[in-house]
Amino acid sequence: MVTADKKHRVVGTRPIRHDGTDKVTGRAAYGADLRLPDMLIGRVKRSPLAHARIKRIDASKALALPGVQAVITSADLPNPADRVVPFGEGSSDLKDLARNVLAADKVLYEGHAVAAVCATDAHIAEDALDLIEVEYEPLPVVLDVREAMLPAAPILHDGLRTKEVGGEKGDQPSNVASHLQLKLGDTEAGFREADLVIEREFETKMVHQGYVEPQNGAAFWNRDGRLEIWTSTQGSFVARDQIAALLDLPVSKVRVTPMEIGGGFGGKIPVYLEPLAALLSRKTGKPVKMTMTRDEVFRATGPTSGTYIRVKIGAKQDGAIVAAQAYLAFEAGAFPGSPVWAASRCVFTAYDVPHQLIDGYDVVVNKPKVAAYRAPGAPTAAFAAESVIDELAQRLEMDPLDLRIKNAAKQGSRRADGATHGVIGNDEVLLAAQDSPHYRSELQGENRGRGVAHGFWFNIGLESSASASVNADGTVSLVLGSTDIGGTRVSIAMQLAETLGIAAEDVAPQVVDTDSVGFTFVTGGSRTAFAGGWAAYEVGMDLRRQLIERAAKIWEVQPEQVEYADDGVLRGPPGDDGAPRAITFRDLAAKLPKTGGMVVGRADVNPKTSGPTFATHIVDVEVDPDTGKVQILRYTAVQDAGTAIHPAYVEGQMQGGAAQGVGWALNEEYRYDDQGRMENPTFLDYRMPTALDLPMIETIIVEVPNPGHPYGVRGVGEVPIVPPLAAVAAAIHDATGVRFNTLPISPAAILDKLLPDGD
């Protein structure tokens, strides 16, 4: 670990996670574990076609099946208003959100929900699906982002017009939902200054987040008009707001209880089943639970975008990059809302480039509506930009890290989005990678190669709330609104413990429903340890102020005379006998009932100073020239965490992101036939890396504290997935001499490049 000097008692340690026993013993309750009295089971009727008009839906036979309690279609949804609803790491038009939950006049992808049924058991509900008759009028399908942008392409939405730079809209129907542009300097002049200009094209396929737990949702629409929801979600409040908007309810009438989550990575921010379960519950007067199959998860939830990207970079002979240009076209799936805006902000931001021009296009195609996936948009943008930078280094005969260090963005560097970098750890990460044992080691053997890549993510803050009550035994009960992913409840509890000067084990964190804590944004965007920790810090400071007042009352002095030390001991002026006064947190807690009652601290924060982060990855591979198989021999991830609250969890995030990125680079992809039917909707055919495919991923945590946080925290969950795609591609080039600009770099893709035609 590369770190600045610090004097923390709890922050930076590795306590055992508070929910560990529940997780390993099976007591932790996930969405599928929910059991309610008289609960019905719901299932969804989905389209077998990727693009078609719905001419007729007849549910009479299904309703006649014994055990079937209700059937719903889009006619049961309130008519949605034409307004934008913010949620998670993006926003959506309410009509689009409603039409994704239940198709109205058209289906737009295979797996699109057209109806839902509930019955007394799962088998009856499943049988009922076959009895719901749907008549379709097939329509032409468009699956490729570039084909979808052509004037003659089949149009998905007759009312969609391209929103151009400046807000103007086109006058013709289009599959291009929007075009954004970021500009810095004069790229034409910059390229004229360059001694070497490289321009390349890149393609990537849709990939899925690959969480283990399928989507689920249960609902009970009470007779008093209140709606109860239980679900696996990354944001209970954002889920509440989506559900309330879809069902035309005040948010005060909807309570969402987040269950434990079996993975999300951005994919469990949108709602899919929860509104359907709610409507079925209203029709039947009983609770309804719905859970997706793995096949449904692949076909009908949000993967991330397939992309087409062009990158052009110009540099001087000494390696100084003078101009960079990018064209990014991202698949949004069936409805607008790809992460092209984030990709455009990230593509060149790790570097100080005076002249930049970035054009981004959000394009609808006949595939499922995309959702966030860990640093949404940034990995594919980095794959393109870092691949060109790697080629620049080769052509200029420079060490690839030397080239990146020479051009690294620094404090004060202006970005293409108009912002300037504050205090960042960009140089520190690159230098730590260059000085790492891995990079300094010698790679020997045939068909082996080493690659490096660098990545950036801007991170977010946004609103978080928390409260805490001091117990008479000296422990603290902490109430949170953030879904726990990757140990976030522990990292937040540790920051409260640090503020109070007590042990992490003396704080008991609990994630609660939307009626039991103030508004809290999603667990995503690398914001939870940052903003949730800030809320915990403010809760701790609130408790400290109250405890100072109680100690002053006991000692009959003014609060200004009492000091709350960082070791959790309160000290006051000497007593009548001249002896110093001091009381520990635990001893003072025991006296609270007799000095006015227990104390509760509260906080609601909305910090804007999240602080960006950077990562550099190094990977060694061996490529089998006979089979095309790529073996990862060694992998090192270097990353700035600002301050690592719980280093083991930071390491876990770094390793997890790297593993997902390796899968994206080598094997993962949505495969469709020419009619838009997914051909690999199972974990057997959708090939993700397992422990057998990867070595132990080495980690180096760099700590350049974020001055915009009480403990210097920078989010850590997003950026580790940004460099792997390009790093693996660079390593394969080093091993084979061939550059691959299309992902995944599967064995078939490698053999196609390495073997002569016909072999």
Side-chain angles (χ1 to χ4, degrees), residues 100-159:
N100 195 42
V101 167
L102 271 176
D105 56 331
K106 286 171 62 172
V107 293
L108 296 166
Y109 56 92
E110 182 207 20
H112 201 163
V114 296
V117 59
C118 65
T120 51
D121 67 48
H123 301 292
I124 295 173
E126 189 70 32
D127 291 342
L129 295 181
D130 293 332
L131 300 177
I132 300 174
E133 299 176 357
V134 185
E135 183 181 350
Y136 297 102
E137 176 190 337
L139 296 170
V141 172
V142 61
L143 300 169
D144 179 79
V145 66
R146 282 179 290 175
E147 291 177 5
M149 299 175 75
L150 297 174
I155 296 296
L156 273 66
H157 304 280
D158 294 335

Side-chain angles (χ1 to χ4, degrees), residues 140-156 173-176 203 306-308 327 329-331 363-367 673-676:
V141 172
V142 61
L143 300 169
D144 179 79
V145 66
R146 282 179 290 175
E147 291 177 5
M149 299 175 75
L150 297 174
I155 296 296
L156 273 66
S174 174
N175 292 323
V176 181
E203 292 182 53
T307 71
Y308 167 75
Y327 173 103
F330 274 53
E331 296 173 355
V363 185
V364 294
V365 293
N366 291 120
K367 296 178 183 178
D673 67 15
D674 59 2
Q675 296 303 306

Side-chain angles (χ1 to χ4, degrees), residues 481-544:
S482 299
T483 300
D484 184 285
I485 298 181
T488 51
R489 58 159 60 93
V490 182
S491 66
I492 295 172
M494 290 174 66
Q495 292 177 74
L496 176 59
E498 182 71 46
T499 307
L500 294 175
I502 62 178
E505 293 79 7
D506 288 339
V507 178
Q510 182 180 7
V511 179
V512 296
D513 62 73
T514 52
D515 282 357
S516 302
V517 70
F519 184 89
T520 300
F521 202 63
V522 299
T523 299
S526 288
R527 62 165 297 279
T528 309
F530 167 79
W534 197 320
Y537 168 80
E538 294 294 347
V539 167
M541 296 307 291
D542 187 11
L543 289 173
R544 285 172 63 139

Side-chain angles (χ1 to χ4, degrees), residues 295-311:
D295 181 279
E296 289 178 300
V297 171
F298 274 113
R299 296 183 197 273
T301 65
T304 195
S305 303
T307 71
Y308 167 75
I309 301 174
R310 288 199 308 269
V311 165

Side-chain angles (χ1 to χ4, degrees), residues 31-44 63 65-72 116-126 216-221 228 230 273-274 276-291:
D33 296 325
L34 187 71
R35 299 289 185 273
L36 298 171
D38 297 323
M39 187 170 71
L40 303 173
I41 302 299
R43 296 286 288 120
V44 178
L63 288 167
L65 182 67
V68 171
Q69 303 293 296
V71 174
I72 59 169
V117 59
C118 65
T120 51
D121 67 48
H123 301 292
I124 295 173
E126 189 70 32
N216 56 76
F220 179 47
W221 201 312
E228 301 273 354
W230 298 263
L273 299 177
E274 299 92 336
L276 307 183
L279 291 171
L280 290 167
S281 178
R282 183 170 64 176
K283 278 199 168 188
T284 61
K286 295 180 179 181
V288 176
K289 184 173 79 171
M290 307 181 76
T291 304

Side-chain angles (χ1 to χ4, degrees), residues 650-671:
V650 174
E651 292 161 356
Q653 291 293 320
M654 295 166 69
Q655 292 163 335
Q660 288 178 311
V662 168
W664 199 337
L666 294 180
N667 298 108
E668 295 183 43
E669 62 175 315
Y670 270 42
R671 293 200 306 270

